[in-house]
Structures are given as structure tokens and as C-alpha cells.
Amino acid sequence: MAETQGKVITCKAAVAWGPKEPLVIQEICVDPPQKLEVRLKILYSSICHTDLGFWNGTNEAERAFPRILGHEAVGIVESVGEGVKDVKEGDYVIPTFNGECGECRVCTKEESNLCEKYQVDPMKRVMVNDGGTRFSTTTTKDGGSSQSQRIYHFLNTSTFTEYTVLDSACVVKIDPNAPLKQMSLLSCGVSTGVGAAWNSAKVKEGTTTAVFGLGSVGLAVAEGARARGASRIIGVDANASKFEKSKLMGVTDFVNPKDLTKPVHQMIREITGGGVDYSFECTGNVDVLREAFLSTHAGWGSTVLVGIYPTPRTLPLHPMELFEGRKIAGSVFGGFKPKSQLPNFAQQCMKGVVKLEPFITNELPFEKINDAFQLLRDGKSLRCILQIAKFLKR
């Protein structure tokens, strides 16, 4: 890739010009990486509900257009900026929305994975180095001529493009022999869910769990609990069509709130003899969160928040309910420190400790990205893989 190093690259990207507007596949310019930055050639990218949420423009404060969305991907390093030492040209990598500088007070401690400088920030839309963007275009979405217009970044990553630029803290090197399509899932959904079970809740063998919301992240929680030997995994979802698929991830019991005449937490307490050891809220709904919290056993039950909560409503709990001994905590990126821990997690996935294949339900060419969004909106897809690179030689 020496022919492109240090030069502006012109490539194709799917640009979001406004909330709920179809993404436009168009040519953009991608600048060379600056100090402590990496430019990647994206090979595969998948679509997450978080992409859908930002595309919808649900939270006005987080809106920024034009923008290149996407944060689950796998790619190859095209070039690196000054000071980058842990990856080089030709390395296979995954981008991560939650970075790890390796030097700050948080990165040097085990207690948290929220790097002081590069942690996930939904408000961030520019690069850390200079507050600028590395994307620009000289054509409007309708193909007319215009002055060069900058395009905003998204969640430290922006992967719906043939080339992207990231802070080096958000790039994780992986085994070059890893199955690349599957590795893209570790950028977000699978790592978030499995890590919530492994790192945040620390699910133990023989324990019971309840997973509220059986989308990709919820099923990843179930898969993580299965891999840790949970004896009973109760899946809760109002969409009965998800139950059959969830069996592949270890779900043993199913609860559909629509079929009940009593609150979900009462049903779970009845069938488990007092409540589960761990519950996971993966929908981003505060009312569901209350059910998840109350479904755990008094004295030691633990609830982990995994979903994204766009509502301004606060926790639906009375302080005295915490005196019953139940605990509640949030989990970001499954508690994984990306550079320190994801390479080993990727190796475990390659060995089959965690099964990745069932999460990939659709594959489409990059040009069909709007169809992929529709599949997700219609609930017909867990993860749709988009092939971004035209040719791939290994």
C-alpha cells in the first residue's frame, strides 16, 4: 500500500446526510493519518442497532450530519501516523468505539475500561489530535458540484467506508488467520454481550440468569453465560420468533411478556424459587429494567445494564429496594479493555469457546447498505455483514 501512504485517498463511502434519509454511496476524500492515528482499509462491516439509532436522529444533541456511521468492522492497516508503534501496514485489525491509550490512570487499573482520553463518547464527531475530520467530499448528495465539505466521524470508528481514519487507541491487532467476517462482530455486539456476562457480572458455573431482550447483544449475553456454565438461561422477549434462534446460544427457558397475566419478575421468581442470580437488561427500556432488577434473588441478585437508554427518565427504583441486597451496575463494551483483552478473546472465539456463526444472519454487498438497514428495522436480521473491499487477498 506504499502507493497511497501520505496521500489523500478517494474512495466510496455511505454518507448519512440527515436523520432517516437513505444513506448515499458516493466518493469521498480520506486524509492521511496524523500523529497517533491509523488509516484502515475496511474489509467487512456489520450493522448494529446503535447505527440505526443515530441514523434515526433520536437524540437531537447527538446529531451531526453529514456523517459516516458504522462501528463494527474488520480491516487492514493501510498506513500509520507518527508515534504509532503497536500496529503497522498490513496488520489485520478491528476498530473499537471504546479506546485504550494504555497510559492513563484508568487504563493502568483493572477496575475500569473507560479510558480517560478515548472512551466512547456519543457526542464526539472529530479527531482528538486537532479537532478536525479526515473525511471530506467535493460533491453534494445529489451529485452537484460544491466546495469541499467535511464529513463527521462516528463513535471513534466510522466504518461504512472503504477507508477510514481512527485514533490508534481504537485499533486492535488480531490474528491474521482469524475468520474475518466473524471478527467484525467483536467490534461491538458480541464483545458487549459476552463481556457483560464474563467481566461485569462474572457469571459462575451452575448459576441462573435472565436476559431481557433477545437481539444480538442479548443473545451474546446468553452465549457468554452458556460458555461460563450457567445452568439456566431465561430469555425474555415480546417477539416469539426469536425464541428458536436463541436456543443456539444456550437459552433454556422462554418468557413472552405478552403471554402473561402477571409481571415478568413474578413469573421468573416463581419458576426459579426466588429469582435468578443474574439478570441483564438489553433493550434500553427503563420499565424493562425494573422487571430485570426485581427478577433477581434478594440478598445476592445482580442486574447488569447493557442497553442504550435514550429516554430522559431516571432509574425506576426506590432507594429502599436496594436494602434487599440486590445490586445494579452498567457495562460498557462488556468491560473489555480492547487492546489488552480483545486479542485473547478473539483466540477463544477461534477455538469455539464462543460461537460466532449464528450471529451472522445476512450478507450483502456494500451497495445494498440501505437494504441492510431495513432488515434490521424489520427485525429480520441479527447481524448483516457488508463486504466493503472489492478484492481480498490473504
Side-chain angles (χ1 to χ4, degrees), residues 94-99 155-157 166 169-172 186-187 333 338 342:
I94 56 175
T96 59
F97 62 82
N98 194 50
L155 289 185
N156 292 330
T157 48
L166 296 82
C170 299
V171 178
V172 178
L186 304 191
S187 287
F333 197 52
L342 274 195

Side-chain angles (χ1 to χ4, degrees), residues 215-328:
S216 289
V217 172
L219 292 178
V221 170
E223 174 67 9
R226 180 205 61 77
R228 282 293 184 262
S231 62
R232 196 170 189 179
I233 303 172
I234 302 170
V236 182
D237 200 291
N239 185 347
S241 66
K242 295 181 178 181
F243 292 161
E244 194 64 31
K245 182 76 172 180
S246 65
K247 292 179 182 178
L248 298 174
M249 284 76 163
V251 173
T252 59
D253 301 78
F254 311 102
V255 174
N256 187 335
K258 293 181 178 178
D259 297 336
L260 302 181
T261 57
K262 63 181 72 174
V264 173
H265 76 268
Q266 288 186 15
M267 171 63 74
I268 292 178
R269 286 188 191 182
E270 289 176 10
I271 64 177
T272 58
V276 292
D277 299 302
Y278 312 96
S279 70
F280 300 86
E281 203 297 299
C282 306
T283 70
N285 183 306
V286 292
D287 296 320
V288 176
L289 171 60
R290 177 164 180 79
E291 291 299 305
F293 177 75
L294 294 176
S295 73
T296 62
H297 203 290
W300 63 80
S302 178
T303 298
V304 178
L305 287 70
V306 189
I308 303 297
Y309 296 81
T311 175
R313 292 173 57 194
T314 55
L315 286 177
L317 306 175
H318 191 283
M320 294 302 295
E321 290 177 318
L322 296 172
F323 280 80
E324 295 179 350
R326 297 183 179 90
K327 303 178 183 65
I328 186 168

Side-chain angles (χ1 to χ4, degrees), residues 85-99:
K85 296 181 173 60
D86 59 342
V87 295
K88 63 183 185 305
E89 176 193 346
D91 284 344
Y92 288 91
V93 296
I94 56 175
T96 59
F97 62 82
N98 194 50

Side-chain angles (χ1 to χ4, degrees), residues 348-375:
Q348 290 178 292
C349 292
M350 291 173 66
K351 294 175 182 177
V353 176
V354 169
K355 297 176 291 186
L356 298 178
E357 300 94 331
F359 289 93
I360 300 176
T361 53
N362 308 83
E363 295 185 40
L364 289 172
F366 187 27
E367 293 76 14
K368 298 288 187 180
I369 188 169
N370 287 304
D371 294 340
F373 265 65
Q374 189 63 47
L375 286 171

